[in-house]
Amino acid sequence: DTEVTQTPKHLVMGMTNKKSLKCEQHMGHRAMYWYKQKAKKPPELMFVYSYEKLSINESVPSRFSPECPNSSLLNLHLHALQPEDSALYLCASSREADRMYEKLFFGSGTQLSVL
Amino acid sequence: KQEVTQIPAALSVPEGENLVLNCSFTDSAIYNLQWFRQDPGKGLTSLLLIQSSQREQTSGRLNASLDKSSGRSTLYIAASQPGDSATYLCAVFHAKFYFGTGTSLTVIP
C-alpha cells in the first residue's frame, strides 16, 4: 500500500463553519505534512509532524489547527476561514522528516472553497 | 533562502517529440532533488528522486540529471505522448522541501 488517502475530496464551507480535513497512510511513515496550493502555484508548506509531534509550523494562522492522533492519521481543523483560504490542501508523508533519502508521497488533495 | 525556478513555465509539443524541462536552485547545499507530475486539481506523483551524490536517474522514458555545483537539474522525456500532458514540478530537499514554480506541458496528438 503506497497510498495517502485524503477526505473529503471537495469541501465548501462558510466563514463561520468548523470543518476538518483528514489524511491517512499505512506505509509506516513517521513524517506527515500539510501543504496548501493555490491555482497555478507550487505547494506551500504549512505543517510538518515527525513521530506524531509538530516539528514545523510555517507561521500558519491559528484558524488552521493540525492534529496527529497517531502515526497513520493527520487532521487539519478549520475554523473561521477567509475566502482567500480557498485552495487545494495536500497531505503528504515520508519515512522520516529530515533524512536525505526521503521521497514524498502525496494524497490527491481536498479542494476547499470558502464562501 | 532557497529559491527554485523552472523554465519554461509552459511548453507545447507535438506527440513523439523529445523534450527537456529545466529546474534551477539558488543554494547548492541540497540532500536530494525530486521531480513530480501533477494533473489538474490532483495531488503530486513522484517521478524520480536524485540523491545529492548522484548525477542522474532513469525510469522508462524519463531521465533526470543533477548538477549540484551549478544548481541545475533537467528532466528529459523521450517520445512524448498525450498522456504526458500535466504540470511538472521539481523540489529540492534540505531540512524541508522547496518546490519549483512548475512547467505546464501539453503534448498535442
Side-chain angles (χ1 to χ4, degrees), chain A residues 54-99:
Chain A
L54 184 64
S55 62
I56 295 177
N57 177 343
E58 293 285 293
S59 302
V60 178
S62 60
R63 57 185 184 269
F64 295 91
S65 176
E67 178 194 22
C68 190
N70 60 56
S71 60
S72 299
L73 293 174
L74 185 67
N75 299 321
L76 186 63
H77 303 298
L78 314 172
H79 174 55
L81 294 193
Q82 304 297 311
E84 59 265 28
D85 296 323
S86 298
L88 181 67
Y89 288 83
L90 294 163
C91 174
S93 71
S94 63
R95 284 183 307 174
E96 302 278 348
D98 58 359
R99 302 285 175 86

Side-chain angles (χ1 to χ4, degrees), chain B:
Chain B
K1 183 191 170 194
Q2 177 75 268
E3 299 208 357
V4 184
T5 306
Q6 292 184 244
I7 294 173
L11 181 63
S12 184
V13 300
E15 182 178 2
E17 193 162 295
N18 301 326
L19 59 102
V20 174
L21 307 180
N22 298 293
C23 171
S24 60
F25 45 95
T26 54
D27 186 347
S28 61
I30 65 168
Y31 289 148
N32 66 50
L33 183 145
Q34 292 188 48
W35 281 94
F36 294 87
R37 169 193 171 128
Q38 186 175 30
D39 293 294
K42 303 292 185 183
L44 284 71
T45 301
S46 181
L47 299 173
L48 290 164
L49 180 149
I50 310 176
Q51 305 294 348
S52 61
S53 59
Q54 298 175 322
R55 299 285 293 184
E56 64 179 87
Q57 281 287 329
T58 298
S59 176
R61 295 183 293 108
L62 305 179
N63 175 277
S65 67
L66 174 64
D67 184 342
K68 206 172 74 157
S69 61
S70 67
R72 293 181 182 179
S73 175
T74 61
L75 179 66
Y76 174 83
I77 302 177
S80 58
Q81 303 171 357
D84 294 331
S85 298
T87 296
Y88 291 80
L89 297 107
C90 65
V92 298
F93 178 72
H94 181 83
K96 65 180 185 180
F97 289 92
Y98 295 85
F99 281 86
T101 45
T103 294
S104 177
L105 173 65
T106 302
V107 180
I108 304 165

